[in-house]
Amino acid sequence: MLMSVIARECCSLALPELKGARVLITGLTSASGFDIARAFADQGAHLILQSPEDSPEMTELAAVLAESCVEIKLFNTPLESEEDAVRLVRAAAQDFGGLDAVINLVPVSAAAACAIDTAEDVEGLISDALRLPLRLTEVAANRMRLVWVEGSILNVVRVQDAAGGRAMMLADILRAELAELTRGLAREWGEHGIRINAVAPPSSIAVLGGDAHQASDADLAAMALQLASRKGRSVSGHVLDAVGAARRWC
């Protein structure tokens, strides 16, 4: 449960503009996302965390985060519908007076990737994977607009233990779909100063070239911090490569 050394070094980077920032992180589990939450906590942020996991491990992690952040609220309720997503964002924005950054963690299970047989299966899986983060993004961006916040939204999609032809095909189509959605959302909300970016699984070209790695939580933490800070004010509408971000930016 301890954060990696490189993530701790990254969190030592002072970004004073993030002190007091109101940060919503969805999809957090005891196995994924803790470094990201800790990075913002160490900057003195207010944390609103959503986890599908109601476990002693999550309770322990929340207690660790509470030692650093200004304030923390944990929602241990799975997001099963678009209505759940809307209620979560509205509750978070109301409780904290708005949102400055949103990070949505979206896992696609290896079992689901291996089970696809037809084009319809691929379309259905991608639609299911992106439906809730798309709704979370739209509602969060609208809340930012209403209170004149120039915020950052980052959608992180991972295909867990991706391997094999089907998983590579899924990753390629998923990257393309995510890129199109991200560009469209960035155009829609850019005039309000709201920046929307994404991280996708490695492409099949990277896999076949032997240079495919999922971004670590430390990498994602570094990227999320940079995008939410002044350094990320000109970055929007991109599917970004987060691998190595902890080394590059810290």
Side-chain angles (χ1 to χ4, degrees):
M1 293 184 187
L2 293 178
M3 213 170 41
S4 64
V5 173
I6 195 167
R8 289 187 183 277
E9 291 176 352
C10 180
C11 291
S12 68
L13 181 66
L15 296 168
E17 65 269 30
L18 295 182
K19 184 175 178 61
R22 299 154 298 183
V23 182
L24 169 64
I25 303 175
T26 72
L28 181 73
T29 69
S30 58
S32 177
F34 176 69
D35 283 354
I36 303 169
R38 181 62 179 269
F40 281 98
D42 284 354
Q43 297 293 332
H46 301 265
L47 293 182
I48 310 101
L49 309 176
Q50 181 275 329
S51 175
E53 180 181 333
D54 188 4
S55 67
E57 289 79 10
M58 276 306 305
T59 302
E60 181 181 346
L61 291 179
V64 172
L65 293 170
E67 296 174 1
S68 302
C69 66
V70 175
E71 187 176 2
I72 187 170
K73 187 164 187 178
L74 176 62
F75 293 87
N76 283 119
T77 305
L79 298 180
E80 298 179 342
S81 67
E82 293 187 25
E83 290 74 19
D84 290 341
V86 172
R87 282 193 292 268
L88 172 68
V89 174
R90 286 179 177 172
Q94 182 174 354
D95 289 348
F96 288 82
L99 295 170
D100 298 291
V102 177
I103 300 98
N104 299 311
L105 305 177
V106 187
V108 177
S109 72
C114 292
I116 56 177
D117 285 320
T118 65
E120 288 76 16
D121 291 340
V122 174
E123 291 175 3
L125 181 55
I126 292 175
S127 176
D128 288 343
L130 299 182
R131 177 173 52 91
L132 291 183
L134 173 61
R135 189 63 176 141
L136 287 164
T137 297
E138 291 172 335
V139 179
N142 187 52
R143 287 284 158 172
M144 290 173 178
R145 177 187 63 83
L146 290 174
V147 293
W148 299 90
V149 169
E150 295 185 353
S152 170
I153 302 175
L154 177 63
N155 293 308
V156 179
V157 183
R158 286 169 158 172
V159 179
Q160 299 173 338
D161 300 320
R166 293 179 182 179
M168 286 192 290
M169 177 188 67
L170 175 65
D172 284 344
I173 300 174
L174 184 53
R175 284 181 69 91
E177 183 68 19
L178 186 59
E180 183 177 351
L181 286 173
T182 302
R183 286 193 297 268
L185 289 166
R187 285 195 299 267
E188 179 180 356
W189 297 101
E191 65 178 291
H192 306 290
I194 299 165
R195 308 175 308 280
I196 299 171
N197 294 286
V199 174
S203 67
S204 60
I205 295 175
V207 173
L208 294 173
D211 190 31
H213 303 281
Q214 294 275 6
S216 69
D217 269 7
D219 290 333
L220 294 171
M223 176 164 284
L225 283 178
Q226 294 289 331
L227 291 173
S229 73
R230 293 190 185 98
K231 297 179 180 181
R233 291 291 168 86
S234 63
V235 182
S236 188
H238 299 284
V239 173
L240 301 165
D241 179 12
V243 176
R247 295 189 300 274
R248 294 195 302 269
W249 291 341
C250 300

